[in-house]
Amino acid sequence: MTAIIILNWNGYSDTIACLESLYEMRSEFYVVVVDNGSTDGSFEHIMEYLESRTVVARVVRVGGRLSASPAARECIVCRSDENLGFARGNNEALRMLAGCLPDSLLFLNNDTLVEPDFLDVLNEAASEHTDYCAFTPMICYESRRDVIWNCGGRLALGMRKYYYAGGDVAAVRQGGIIPVTFVTGCALYFRPCLLLADGGLFTEKFFFGEEDFNFCLRMKRERQKMGCVTKSKIYHKVSASTAAKPAVGKIYIHYLNRFMDMRQNSARGFYVLWAAVNAAYVTLLLARRRDVGLRRGIRLVASVLRDSRRMEGVDRACFTAALNRRW
C-alpha cells in the first residue's frame, strides 16, 4: 500500500481535480490531505467532494496519530489552524502515520493530475530496484502534455539541473530508470527507511522552498540511490511558456535559503569560493531585470550574504517580512 500525501493551502479546486484523477486509478493506495491553514473554505469544499464521491473520509487534527492503517482508497484530512509551510505540513502527515507506516509514501503537489497507471509503474520499479530508495515519475506540463517539465536531475557545485526540461516526451525512452541526484518535492515517491529521527522527511529550517534541494544533498551525502521512472507520468499545472517573474522578496528568500543551505552542508573553503562566484553571478542576473537593476541587485545580494552568515533558518515570520519589505 502507498500513502499519497497532498498539501492544500487555499487551493481546493486544484486539490479536488488532483483527487479526482487519483480516484480514477485502480492501485492500492490511501490519501492524506493536509489542509494547511486555508482561509478560502478549502476544508468544507474538500469534504463535500469526498462525500459526493462516497470516499470514506475522516478528519484528524495536526498533531494527532493514527493507531491503525487506513483502508485502501480512504482519505484522511489532516487539518491545521495555521500555515505550517511546505516542509512541516508534509512532515506532520508522516508523523501522523508513524504508528502504521505503509510500504511506500508519495508526496504529490495538489496542482498535478496523474495517469491511471502512474502509481502501479512506480510500485513495480520499487519492487524491481530494491537498491533505490526514492523515485520520481516523468513530470510533464499539464497545459502541453507532450512537453517535459523534468525527469529529475542532478546536483553539481550547489546547482541543480533538470533532465529533459522542455523536451519532447516521445524523445525519451519509455521504461527503465534514469539515475538522478535531484528530485523535486512535486512528486516524490520514497521508502520509509529515509525518514529522519523526528519522523519527517524534510528539514523544517525553511518555511518556503529549498526543502527538496536539502533532501537531495542528504541523499547524495548518504549515497542513497534515486531514479526517474520514465514510464510513470504525471502533469503539473505550471506554464510551459515564460512564467511570471517572482517578486523581489521571493528572489531574496530563494537565494537566502540556498546560500544558507550550502554554508551548512559544505566544507568552509569550498563554500567561501562558491559564495563569491555565485554572488557575482546572481548580481549579474538581477542587474538584467528591469524591476531590480544593478544597484538594487547589489543591495539584495549583500543582504543575502550577510543574513545567510548569521541565520540558521527562515521561519514564517522572516518569510512574511521579506515579502513585505521595500527593496
Side-chain angles (χ1 to χ4, degrees):
M1 185 94 79
T2 301
I4 300 176
I5 297 170
I6 301 170
L7 201 64
N8 176 81
W9 182 70
N10 292 339
Y12 66 86
S13 294
D14 282 336
T15 299
I16 288 171
C18 181
L19 289 169
E20 184 68 19
S21 73
L22 290 174
Y23 282 112
E24 292 297 319
M25 302 190 305
R26 296 183 180 180
S27 312
E28 285 269 308
F29 70 95
Y30 61 85
V31 180
V32 178
V33 175
V34 180
D35 187 39
N36 210 8
S38 295
T39 56
D40 67 342
S42 279
F43 173 76
E44 291 77 13
H45 284 287
I46 291 168
M47 294 302 294
E48 286 174 10
Y49 163 76
L50 294 171
E51 183 179 359
S52 71
R53 220 186 190 284
T54 64
V55 172
V56 175
R58 50 180 158 150
V59 180
V60 178
R61 304 294 300 189
V62 161
R65 299 291 184 268
L66 297 185
S67 57
S69 298
R73 306 182 77 79
E74 186 175 352
C75 184
I76 309 298
V77 180
C78 184
R79 196 173 188 189
S80 173
D81 292 330
E82 61 175 321
N83 184 354
L84 303 173
F86 185 83
R88 186 182 167 195
N90 280 298
N91 283 348
E92 288 295 343
L94 294 173
R95 293 179 186 122
M96 182 188 69
L97 300 173
C100 52
L101 284 170
D103 299 326
S104 56
L105 302 117
L106 172 73
F107 287 157
L108 187 66
N109 270 22
N110 72 319
D111 59 346
T112 59
L113 302 174
V114 306
E115 287 286 352
D117 66 344
F118 101 103
L119 184 57
D120 287 336
V121 175
L122 286 174
N123 285 331
E124 289 169 9
S127 296
E128 186 176 336
H129 299 272
T130 55
D131 53 334
Y132 281 71
C133 288
F135 301 88
T136 182
M138 176 188 287
I139 308 175
C140 302
Y141 291 100
E142 198 279 328
S143 58
R144 293 184 59 193
R145 293 193 168 199
D146 59 335
V147 178
I148 298 169
W149 183 46
N150 75 74
C151 289
R154 64 182 174 90
L155 292 182
L157 300 176
M159 308 281 284
R160 66 109 177 96
K161 179 176 176 58
Y162 286 147
Y163 290 152
Y164 299 105
D168 194 314
V169 170
V172 180
R173 181 174 63 87
Q174 306 299 296
I177 287 181
I178 301 171
V180 301
T181 54
F182 181 80
V183 293
T184 73
C186 173
L188 174 53
Y189 177 106
F190 59 97
R191 303 184 197 274
C193 64
L194 295 183
L195 296 182
L196 297 164
D198 65 2
L201 185 77
F202 291 140
T203 178
E204 295 178 12
K205 290 182 178 181
F206 309 107
F207 178 78
F208 178 84
E210 194 64 18
E211 62 286 318
D212 50 9
F213 190 91
N214 179 275
F215 166 76
C216 294
L217 287 175
R218 175 164 71 93
M219 293 299 96
K220 193 170 184 179
R221 185 170 61 249
E222 296 176 1
R223 299 187 177 182
Q224 300 282 10
K225 295 176 75 172
M226 303 190 295
C228 175
V229 184
T230 57
K231 192 178 176 182
S232 175
K233 294 187 188 67
I234 71 166
Y235 307 99
H236 190 201
K237 296 177 184 176
V238 289
S239 175
S241 57
T242 304
K245 291 183 179 179
V248 177
K250 282 191 177 181
I251 296 171
Y252 163 78
I253 289 292
H254 171 77
Y255 288 113
L256 175 63
N257 287 345
R258 182 59 45 82
F259 275 68
M260 198 182 311
D261 206 2
M262 289 299 296
R263 176 179 63 80
Q264 295 169 359
N265 289 282
S266 304
R268 176 172 173 75
F270 173 82
Y271 174 71
V272 170
L273 178 60
W274 180 91
V277 171
N278 279 272
Y281 174 68
V282 172
T283 300
L284 290 174
L285 286 181
L286 295 177
R288 298 173 63 182
R289 287 183 50 142
R290 291 184 179 180
D291 58 334
V292 181
L294 180 59
R295 288 187 180 181
R296 219 171 164 197
I298 291 172
R299 289 200 304 270
L300 188 147
V301 171
S303 294
V304 166
L305 289 171
R306 181 188 66 245
D307 295 343
S308 64
R309 285 195 296 267
R310 66 180 181 84
M311 296 170 62
E312 295 301 319
V314 177
D315 59 15
R316 182 180 178 181
C318 176
F319 173 78
T320 303
L323 294 191
N324 294 330
R325 178 177 168 183
R326 292 192 66 178
W327 293 91

